[in-house]
Amino acid sequence: MAIELFFSNGLVQLAERFSEIIDGDNRRRADIFDAPVVMVPNANLIKWVQLFLAKRNSIFMNVDFQFLEAGLWRLIAALDPAENKPVMLDNDLLKILLLHALQNLKGNVPDLLPLTRYLMGGDGRKHPDDAARIWQLSEKLAHLFQEYEFHRMDMIQNWLAGTAVQDGMERCQQQLYLKLKTLRNELERRTGKPLLSMMEYADRVLSGSGPDPEKTAGNPVIHFFGLSQISVFHLNLIGRLKAYYTMVIYALNPSKEFWEDIQTPEEKRWVQRKNIKALAIRDEEKAKGELFRQDGNPLLASWGKPGRESIRLLCELTGYDFNACFTPQKPAAGILQRIQNDILTLSSTARKTKTFDQDRSLQIVACPGIYREVETVFNSILFNLEENADLQLTDIAILVPDISTYKPVIDSVFNREPRCLDFNLVDSHAEIESVYGK
């Protein structure tokens, strides 16, 4: 079993390689109804892949798309010999357990004082908005605990081991996390179904001496498409599963050059402040021509740290053995294309003396608030539709950092009379649409 890694700076190139590999696998498949398994980060990417490959190949069908969390859980469950399979402790179930724990919170527990003060205030009494406040806190804490399991596994292990915590806020979180463990055990006793997080299930099934040949025989090829940023936990889990499955990863990488060693401005300041001599270039390294560090692309240095870590971890899975599918560098027709070229080749326009005229390929607009921000986008769309007769509404996309925050404003601006634009809102769900749904 092994991992094959494909890098590209464009989804189109990754989708073409994915289509070629899937077509080859289907021709060699004994059962034509045996669908290839493809894991993707979100539903929007599934729809794009389906539409793009249906247009490219005239037909695209019988592909088993799965989301990353559920897909990895199924891969582990397929290796679990136990008859009574556990139930995944996902975000929704974790929120319900937290809701129960916070509703029955005792005000006289010293370690939980930060929670009781937030929920009950200084007078220790309940208030009319307590229900909404408890639910919102349950949502935040459920997300936070899952992020801890994905990115700070050592801290979670220390919590479970009962290691004393000095910081008051962390100690409060530790006690609440251990309280959840007790509630899970009680729920397991009543339902007869074990409840495990992904981290716990992986440790239970994959912590043996090694892969059993009977478990690896006949296992399907697993495709991971469109990965751009993924947690350390998930990448380590994929690395552990490669002993049982053959995997193909199609990942986005903005630069075809090596950029995993580019430092952020904060990291550069930290190195300068600490004056770490261990990072100094040694004479033998100079003789070999190694480690002549350049500043690299400043945009990648400032904003690319999460992507840099994901690219580095992906490369470590394959020993830096990957297939490059990068697009050829295009002539710079505008500022946006120049920036893309600089990132692709890891160069910097800032070091060049020539200045460029401003164009409309990239515009940065400062707004005093999100309402004015949405109004500006709305007016810009109307202006561009009037200026360009070939522009279609399907050519326009608006990306926001948090749909729950922006949705009421988008509805207010885009639905005002006279209504000029039709739009489709994605990534919205009942929890955002209504209080009843929540």
Side-chain angles (χ1 to χ4, degrees):
M1 304 297 173
I3 295 179
E4 188 171 9
L5 177 60
F6 291 89
F7 277 143
S8 179
N9 58 327
L11 275 177
V12 171
Q13 287 70 32
L14 291 177
E16 290 174 345
R17 293 295 298 146
F18 167 69
S19 177
E20 293 171 2
I21 294 174
I22 288 291
D23 289 344
D25 289 346
N26 287 336
R27 291 189 180 96
R28 295 185 296 269
R29 203 179 301 275
D31 184 357
I32 61 173
F33 296 105
D34 188 10
V37 178
V38 184
M39 298 189 191
V40 292
N42 57 67
N44 298 325
L45 189 56
I46 295 176
K47 180 62 68 177
W48 181 87
V49 171
Q50 290 173 331
L51 293 175
F52 175 81
L53 294 182
K55 182 179 180 180
R56 180 180 183 270
N57 302 331
S58 299
I59 185 171
F60 182 73
M61 60 182 292
N62 196 32
V63 174
D64 183 11
F65 284 103
Q66 301 178 11
F67 295 132
L68 186 64
E69 285 284 311
L72 289 174
W73 182 271
R74 291 189 184 101
L75 294 183
I76 299 172
L79 304 174
D80 186 5
E83 294 184 2
N84 188 20
K85 307 285 187 185
V87 176
M88 182 166 65
L89 184 64
D90 58 7
N91 187 268
D92 292 334
L93 186 53
L94 192 58
K95 281 190 289 189
I96 298 300
L97 291 176
L98 278 165
L99 182 66
H100 181 273
L102 294 177
Q103 284 176 332
N104 296 276
L105 200 63
K106 304 296 183 182
N108 57 354
V109 180
D111 290 340
L112 297 178
L113 278 180
L115 284 176
T116 55
R117 287 171 181 168
Y118 172 76
L119 294 175
M120 301 178 184
D123 53 7
R125 299 178 181 178
K126 293 187 176 181
H127 300 278
D129 64 341
D130 275 354
R133 185 178 295 187
I134 289 174
W135 176 249
Q136 291 169 356
L137 185 59
S138 300
E139 288 182 311
K140 296 293 185 183
L141 286 173
H143 174 74
L144 196 62
F145 285 156
Q146 279 203 325
E147 289 298 304
Y148 286 162
E149 291 183 350
F150 294 158
H151 298 279
R152 304 185 65 182
M153 292 173 285
D154 293 341
M155 185 181 72
I156 292 294
Q157 296 296 339
N158 290 335
W159 285 2
L160 294 174
T163 304
V165 177
Q166 300 299 324
D167 182 76
M169 184 59 69
E170 184 182 344
R171 187 166 59 250
C172 177
Q173 294 179 71
Q174 179 192 28
Q175 294 304 312
L176 185 60
Y177 191 83
L178 296 176
K179 174 71 174 176
L180 291 179
K181 187 77 172 177
T182 303
L183 290 176
R184 284 169 49 189
N185 294 337
E186 177 64 20
L187 187 58
E188 289 177 6
R189 186 185 64 81
R190 296 188 180 187
T191 61
K193 274 285 187 181
L195 293 173
L196 294 177
S197 66
M198 182 83 74
M199 178 183 69
E200 293 168 332
Y201 197 25
D203 289 339
R204 172 185 291 189
V205 176
L206 304 177
S207 59
S209 58
D212 186 348
E214 294 183 358
K215 291 183 178 181
T216 60
N219 283 345
V221 178
I222 309 299
H223 302 265
F224 296 86
F225 186 85
L227 300 182
S228 58
Q229 185 177 341
I230 186 170
S231 72
V232 175
F233 166 77
H234 288 98
L235 284 173
N236 288 338
L237 179 55
I238 291 173
R240 297 169 73 181
L241 287 171
K242 75 176 181 180
Y244 304 88
Y245 299 92
T246 298
M247 300 180 177
V248 186
I249 301 177
Y250 312 84
L252 288 169
N253 188 344
S255 177
K256 63 182 181 181
E257 305 294 340
F258 181 87
W259 63 285
E260 289 90 307
D261 59 347
I262 292 181
Q263 295 175 337
T264 66
E266 290 77 12
E267 289 170 334
K268 291 178 181 177
R269 288 195 292 269
W270 183 86
V271 171
Q272 293 171 355
R273 185 170 62 250
K274 296 296 183 180
N275 191 23
I276 301 178
K277 296 181 180 180
L279 294 181
I281 300 176
R282 298 188 297 270
D283 293 336
E284 57 270 23
E285 292 170 335
K286 292 181 180 180
K288 295 179 181 180
E290 298 177 353
L291 298 181
F292 280 94
R293 184 184 301 275
Q294 297 179 356
D295 291 337
N297 185 275
L299 190 58
L300 277 181
S302 299
W303 290 356
K305 182 178 180 180
R308 180 194 71 185
E309 296 300 319
S310 295
I311 295 298
R312 180 179 60 81
L313 292 170
L314 281 171
C315 289
E316 288 179 356
L317 288 178
T318 62
Y320 282 84
D321 181 14
F322 60 88
N323 302 280
C325 308
F326 294 97
T327 58
Q329 186 172 345
K330 301 177 182 178
I335 291 178
L336 180 59
Q337 188 61 59
R338 292 182 185 278
I339 293 175
Q340 292 171 338
N341 288 345
D342 286 348
I343 292 176
L344 180 64
T345 59
L346 211 59
S347 57
S348 176
T349 303
R351 292 196 295 266
K352 300 174 183 177
T353 57
K354 182 180 178 181
T355 58
F356 306 101
D357 296 330
Q358 175 66 47
D359 58 33
R360 292 171 56 188
S361 63
L362 176 64
Q363 301 179 61
I364 301 175
V365 181
C367 299
I370 64 171
Y371 199 93
R372 184 56 183 155
E373 184 181 349
V374 174
E375 285 183 330
T376 303
V377 171
F378 178 78
N379 292 327
S380 176
I381 293 174
L382 292 179
F383 173 79
N384 283 281
L385 288 172
E386 291 178 355
E387 288 289 308
N388 186 357
D390 297 328
L391 185 63
Q392 302 294 320
L393 287 176
T394 52
D395 299 329
I396 302 171
I398 304 173
L399 307 181
V400 298
D402 182 10
I403 189 63
S404 60
T405 302
Y406 278 81
K407 184 188 179 300
V409 183
I410 292 174
D411 286 338
S412 174
V413 173
F414 279 71
N415 288 326
R416 65 172 54 158
E417 297 295 336
R419 184 170 178 176
C420 303
L421 296 174
D422 293 323
F423 67 97
N424 179 39
L425 202 63
V426 298
D427 286 344
S428 184
H429 44 84
E431 204 170 312
I432 298 175
E433 297 289 342
S434 68
V435 176
Y436 179 78
K438 179 177 290 188

